Every structure is written in structure tokens, then in C-alpha cells.
Amino acid sequence: MKHVEGGAEAPSRINLFTYNCWGLKYLAKYRVERLQAIGRAIATTAPTPEIVGLQECWTQDDYLAIRKHTRHILPHGKFYFSGIFGGGLAILSKWPIVESNMVRYPLNGRPTAFFRGDWYVGKGIACATIRTGSRREDVIEVFCTHLHAPYEREPNDSYMCHRTAQAWEIARLMRQAIERGHAAIGLGDFNMVPSSLAHMLVTTHAPVQDAWKALHPDSSLGAASHPLEKERRKEIPNARYNLQENGATCDSVLNTWRWSKQQQKQLFKGEEILIDPTTLDPRAKRLDYIFFGNGISESLRSTPWAVDSARVGMTNRHPDLNCSLSDHFSVEATIVRLPREQPAIHHEKTTAVALQSLANASLHPTLYASYNPSPTSSLMPVPVTRTPSPQRPDTGPPIFRACLSPSRYDEILTLISTYMAREYRQRRLRLGHFLLSVVLSIVCFIGIWWTNRPGWSFLLVFISTINFGGGVIDGLIGGLFIGSEIRALKEFQWEISQAKGMAEQPINGESGVVDILGEQVTGQIKSIRVRRIEDESKSVESEMELWEKVRGSEEYQGKENVRR
């Protein structure tokens, strides 16, 4: 079915697809065979994917192999070049990609961790502007990314600061797209669980909704062993439940690449190993996401999108090798246009599903504070200011931008300060090593001058060369890389401080809600919004109905008379 206006056709539903291909060159087993099979699987997936984000597709040959099998359903595509070995990102589309660029993350690992490789691949955000029709609202901005991998469990993960900064960066890009009036879609392997600080940043500051969480508000907060998931006191889920309800895409017992080495050896020898879907699956978790947000439109007559369905896919095995196609499963979702008579919802926090999620937040007090207009609230509406125009007078429904509680921003600032102190210490040590290496090399050359024994001369030259080479490398890292990293940390620190200041902005002596006119509102109007959230599980009112209540209040009428 098509949505038609003014002779231009635009889709009434779009199928989204994101997948980590695990295409590490030389390291990933059966890479070529698996990537070929991935292309064939995408082409036969039902419903047919229309916008696809791929991660860990490192080589252009692998990208072209996938394109070969999918070009008939996804005629448009872009492989993104980044870093020393490539960013591993690609976007495929049914509709034309009219604009594209690659945004590198300012914070992305350390060059000394060469065995991990995150710094060398130049991770970032693959951005594509896709036009599905002739109108402004038919433009969709797609952001595909792969955040820094967690090598330890939070809060002890030494790269947690980098991943949080990356989440902030992609949230900023999606928010800017939404404020331009375009729908924003975030696809990728975010390497975060739903209870993480990075997830909170994305869904709060973008503003977008987690497609899976929107339809499964009671899904897991992490693996069954995660502390917050344990607090929910739920039974350990089985593999089928993790796929259908928790949206687990990684570390599933159904994925052959997560099996023990002994099981993998048996599989590669040709033995058929089947896993019962009712097998307990305590390690499975959700790391791959589809985020979606509607653009802020000047006209209330625009037709917004809503998430219709979401599912975990690509669970089938390679037909010949009998192994999983990747070490991740895919996430697939369908978004649909809402009926035109239904008013546009400008912020996902005010949609039915999102408000249900906020209501459910009270079930997890350690993750979210109770929703109320106070400084301790984890999610507080803050106004998005807009300039009045003849086409858009200041009488429309309020548009709110949510923010975290000040305590959450303090948590991020502490994280930044701790990591920055570590980097200052690293810089001193590395620059000190460089100076010592210079001194030691000079001493070695003096020793060569005075010694007459060839063996000793060779040994001193060898020591001097190795020592000075290591010192120069440490000097470059300490003087150039760490200095650049510290400056990026300072920028991130400043932005978080500004966000905290906005969250602490006092209104009648407390943090709360500001209406679109920038005026203070009373507890009466606040109670309307809070009551909506509390009653969301019983009945959901539309944004326009809420706005009519606000406009009908005596206080608002008094303010309007003053303005006139």
C-alpha cells in the first residue's frame, strides 16, 4: 500500500534490518562462504528488507558479494571507508541515497591496544540521507554504527568512557536530523545492554525509541547474570524466549560461534549438533538495536511513523558448513505511517509505548528514578525552542526534549574525570620514558666510543636502537595521541556539563516542565502530564487531547490574554 499526495508516492511501511556480519579478514573463520550466504539470506528474508545497515563488513569484496545477491531488492548502497583498515560499515536501500558521509568518533580506543584493533579501524557513524518520496517528510536519515567493544564488565570496563561518548555523538546526529524535520533511524551493533548509561543517552537525547523495547517493554535489561536483571527475580530464560521476547542477538546458545571449542570441533568434522530451543540461555543479551524517531514538523498535518513490529532474524545456519552465519543475529523491524487524522507525536517519550516504558521504569528503581518533576527524575521534559513564523504560530502542542537527572550527568562527569586522570598519568609516564630513552641512548653511544671490544659495541648499539625506538613510539603516543584524546574528553566534558545545567534549570524553585512559549507552568499543568504517565497502562490519550486540556486551563487562558 502506498501513501499518495500530490501525485507523489511514498511508502506506508518500511522494513528495517541491521546485522553484524563478523567479517574480520584473516581472523573470522569461513568469512567468504558466510558473507556469500548472508547476501543470499538477506535477499530471501521476509518481509523484504528495504533499509539495511551492516557492521563488520570490512572488505569491499565482501560488500560487493552481498550487493550481488541483494541488488534486485536493494538497488542503492554505500560502502564506507574509514581508518587504516576500514570502518566495516555499509548501508543498503530500496530508495536513492541522496547524501552520504562518514563521521569518525573523536574517542575510539587506544593505539597501544593493537591486539583489539578498535582504534585502527576508525570506527564512526555511516550517515545516509534517503528520499522515499517528494515531500520533506519523505526524507529519512539513516545512521549505522558499531560502538567500541566492551572488554570488561561495566562499571570496570576501561573503555566505558569511549562508548558513552560515542553514544552521545550518535544521539546528537539523530537529534539534529529530527530537528531538521526528518525521520531518524539508528542501526547497528551498539555493544551495550538496555540498562547501560549509553542506552539511556541515546534514547533520551536523540530523541528516539528503541524499537524492540517499544514493543517489549518488559524485555530483559541484560544477560540473566546481570545485576539489574537479577534484581527482577525472573527465571533464567530459555533460548526461544530470549529470541522472541528479550531480543537477544549475542551469546545465544543457538549461535554456533558461541559454543565451546569441543562442540565447534565436532561440528566442523561434520557431526550434526542440534540445540533444543528450550535450553536455558543465561548468557544471551541484546547488543544490536534499531532506534527510530519522528522528525519535528512545522505542520501538525504531517504523517508520522510508528514501530509496528520487531523480530530477531538470521538464526538459520549455513546450508553446507552448518555453522551460524555470524556471531550475532540480526534485528529487523517494520515502521508504518500513522493515519493522517491522527496528530503527529513530536517526541517518543509522549507516545503510548514510550510512556508505558516510563511507567514500567518504577519496576527498576536502580536503573531509573521515579518519574516526577523533580531534580532526581531520570527523565525530565525540557522544551525544544522554535522560532514563530506565519506558517507556524506559537499555538501548537508543546514539544519536549527529555534529559537525564543531574545525578546521571554527575555519573558521566565522574567517568570522564576518572578516565582523564588515567590519561594524564599515561602521558607523563610515556613522555618520561621518551626522555629516559634519549638519555640511555646517549649513554650507550658514549660507551661505544670508549670500548674497544666489538661484542660490547654491538650490544650497546642494539640496546640503544631498541630503547630509542620504543621511546620515540611512547613519545608520539604521549605527546600526540593522548593529547588529542584529552582535548576530545574536555569537549565531551563541557557538553555533558551544559546538559546537566539544562536539567538543573530552576522553574518556580524546582526543575520541571517549561511550555513551548518559554513561560513557567503551574503544578496543575504538570500534574496533567504526570498523571498521563501514571495512567498510561489503563488508557492512552493523544498529544492533542493533552494539549487541549492544557489550553483549557484557567492559567493558560490568563497567559494568552496577557500575550494578546
Side-chain angles (χ1 to χ4, degrees):
M1 185 175 67
K2 299 289 183 182
H3 179 86
V4 182
E5 180 176 298
E9 291 189 355
S12 59
R13 62 194 301 116
I14 298 177
N15 301 319
L16 310 174
F17 183 102
T18 181
Y19 193 43
N20 182 323
C21 301
W22 191 45
L24 293 169
K25 193 172 183 179
Y26 307 123
L27 298 177
K29 197 175 183 67
Y30 302 133
R31 175 183 60 84
V32 175
E33 296 87 345
R34 288 189 299 100
L35 269 291
Q36 291 276 358
I38 286 172
R40 291 190 292 268
I42 293 175
T44 57
T45 295
T48 303
E50 294 167 317
I51 295 178
V52 173
L54 301 177
Q55 306 86 47
E56 291 204 33
C57 180
W58 297 108
T59 72
Q60 197 167 18
D61 288 341
D62 290 338
Y63 165 74
L64 293 175
I66 292 175
R67 291 282 285 137
K68 175 183 176 182
H69 296 287
T70 60
R71 195 179 296 274
H72 64 290
I73 61 169
L74 301 164
H76 308 278
K78 175 73 170 69
F79 178 79
Y80 291 80
F81 298 91
S82 179
I84 298 174
F85 301 118
L89 302 176
I91 294 176
L92 311 179
S93 172
K94 177 181 178 180
W95 301 278
I97 298 175
V98 296
E99 248 182 74
S100 170
N101 71 306
M102 179 74 185
V103 178
R104 292 277 297 272
Y105 285 127
L107 292 169
N108 183 38
R110 299 184 284 268
T112 50
F114 59 89
F115 50 92
R116 287 169 176 163
D118 292 82
W119 185 83
Y120 295 92
V121 300
K123 285 187 175 179
I125 307 164
C127 310
T129 302
I130 297 174
R131 177 167 287 281
T132 63
S134 60
R135 300 165 302 171
R136 176 182 178 181
E137 62 193 78
D138 295 331
V139 173
I140 296 176
E141 296 196 37
V142 179
F143 304 92
C144 180
T145 191
H146 186 186
L147 267 58
H148 199 292
Y151 296 104
E152 300 92 11
R153 178 175 293 183
E154 293 184 9
N156 300 315
D157 184 1
S158 60
Y159 293 99
M160 184 178 174
C161 184
H162 285 218
R163 197 162 50 257
T164 304
Q166 291 172 355
W168 177 266
E169 191 68 25
I170 192 171
R172 184 219 311 275
L173 291 181
M174 288 193 287
R175 183 182 73 244
Q176 291 170 351
I178 288 170
E179 291 176 350
R180 284 192 291 269
H182 300 159
I185 296 173
L187 308 170
D189 176 0
F190 284 75
N191 274 316
M192 63 186 184
V193 294
S195 61
S196 65
L197 195 57
H199 187 279
M200 279 188 257
L201 278 179
V202 171
T203 54
T204 302
H205 278 271
V208 293
Q209 59 180 314
D210 176 346
W212 189 272
K213 197 73 175 177
L215 301 177
H216 302 269
D218 196 41
S219 57
S220 64
L221 303 176
S225 59
H226 193 283
L228 288 177
E229 187 62 22
K230 284 183 177 179
E231 287 184 12
R232 303 208 304 167
R233 298 181 180 178
K234 290 199 168 191
E235 295 182 358
I236 296 177
N238 60 39
R240 179 188 291 124
Y241 187 88
N242 270 336
L243 292 181
Q244 296 177 350
E245 297 298 327
N246 291 333
T249 58
C250 187
D251 292 337
S252 169
V253 295
L254 298 178
N255 195 304
T256 63
W257 300 110
R258 302 300 181 180
W259 292 357
S260 67
K261 290 184 178 180
Q262 181 60 35
Q263 285 179 303
Q264 290 185 13
K265 285 182 180 179
Q266 293 175 341
L267 183 70
F268 298 146
K269 287 178 180 179
E271 296 183 29
E272 186 176 5
I273 301 177
L274 300 177
I275 302 296
D276 188 340
T278 62
T279 303
L280 294 183
D281 197 8
R283 295 172 55 241
K285 52 186 171 289
R286 188 159 64 99
L287 298 182
D288 304 83
Y289 296 83
I290 294 177
F291 293 105
F292 172 77
N294 278 302
I296 298 175
S297 173
E298 296 185 1
S299 170
L300 293 177
R301 297 178 181 178
S302 63
T303 52
W305 296 85
V307 178
D308 180 65
S309 63
R311 56 209 161 269
V312 174
M314 303 293 277
T315 58
N316 54 305
R317 298 189 194 177
H318 191 283
D320 300 321
L321 302 173
N322 204 26
C323 63
S324 296
L325 298 181
S326 173
D327 60 351
H328 284 239
F329 296 142
S330 68
V331 180
E332 304 164 24
T334 300
I335 58 174
V336 297
R337 284 188 187 271
L338 298 178
R340 181 166 290 280
E341 60 271 12
Q342 184 170 341
I345 305 300
H346 293 286
H347 193 302
E348 65 94 10
K349 298 299 179 194
T350 60
T351 63
V353 175
L355 286 172
Q356 178 66 57
S357 298
L358 284 177
N360 290 341
S362 60
L363 299 175
H364 318 298
T366 56
L367 175 58
Y368 295 106
S370 300
Y371 187 92
N372 56 69
S374 72
T376 58
S377 173
S378 279
L379 292 165
M380 300 189 299
V382 176
V384 174
T385 58
R386 60 183 184 187
T387 305
S389 67
Q391 296 79 20
R392 184 187 61 191
D394 264 342
T395 57
I399 300 171
F400 295 104
R401 178 183 296 167
C403 60
L404 297 172
S405 67
S407 62
R408 288 293 183 187
Y409 292 114
D410 285 334
E411 185 179 339
I412 299 174
L413 290 172
T414 300
L415 182 69
I416 297 171
S417 298
T418 302
Y419 188 80
M420 196 179 295
R422 175 196 183 280
E423 293 308 283
Y424 275 119
R425 184 171 61 254
Q426 283 286 316
R427 183 164 71 170
R428 287 193 299 269
L429 290 173
R430 293 183 184 279
L431 291 178
H433 177 215
F434 169 69
L435 294 176
L436 285 175
S437 70
V438 172
V439 173
L440 183 57
S441 293
I442 293 173
V443 171
C444 287
F445 280 115
I446 293 174
I448 294 170
W449 178 266
W450 288 102
T451 185
N452 294 320
R453 303 174 69 176
W456 281 103
S457 296
F458 172 79
L459 181 61
L460 290 173
V461 169
F462 179 79
I463 292 174
S464 174
T465 303
I466 297 299
N467 169 71
F468 189 68
V472 168
I473 291 174
D474 261 351
L476 291 173
I477 292 174
L480 299 180
F481 165 73
I482 294 182
S484 173
E485 187 180 34
I486 288 173
R487 284 188 286 275
L489 286 166
K490 287 180 178 178
E491 284 294 318
F492 183 38
Q493 187 179 47
W494 184 89
E495 291 171 10
I496 295 297
S497 298
Q498 290 296 105
K500 179 189 174 185
M502 181 178 289
E504 292 177 331
Q505 187 177 10
I507 302 172
N508 284 342
E510 63 172 353
S511 295
V513 183
V514 180
D515 66 8
I516 195 64
L517 305 177
E519 300 170 294
Q520 297 177 355
V521 295
T522 64
Q524 176 189 3
I525 300 178
K526 290 180 188 177
S527 65
I528 294 174
R529 177 164 291 275
V530 175
R531 188 164 57 252
R532 272 196 72 207
I533 293 170
E534 292 172 346
D535 297 341
E536 195 57 44
S537 59
K538 300 176 182 178
S539 63
V540 179
E541 300 171 306
S542 71
E543 187 73 7
M544 286 300 294
E545 290 172 340
L546 172 64
W547 179 235
E548 290 301 325
K549 284 187 178 183
V550 174
R551 293 184 66 184
S553 66
E554 294 180 2
E555 167 129 7
Y556 184 86
Q557 294 297 329
K559 289 180 180 178
E560 283 297 290
N561 292 333
V562 172
R563 283 175 60 83
R564 295 192 185 98

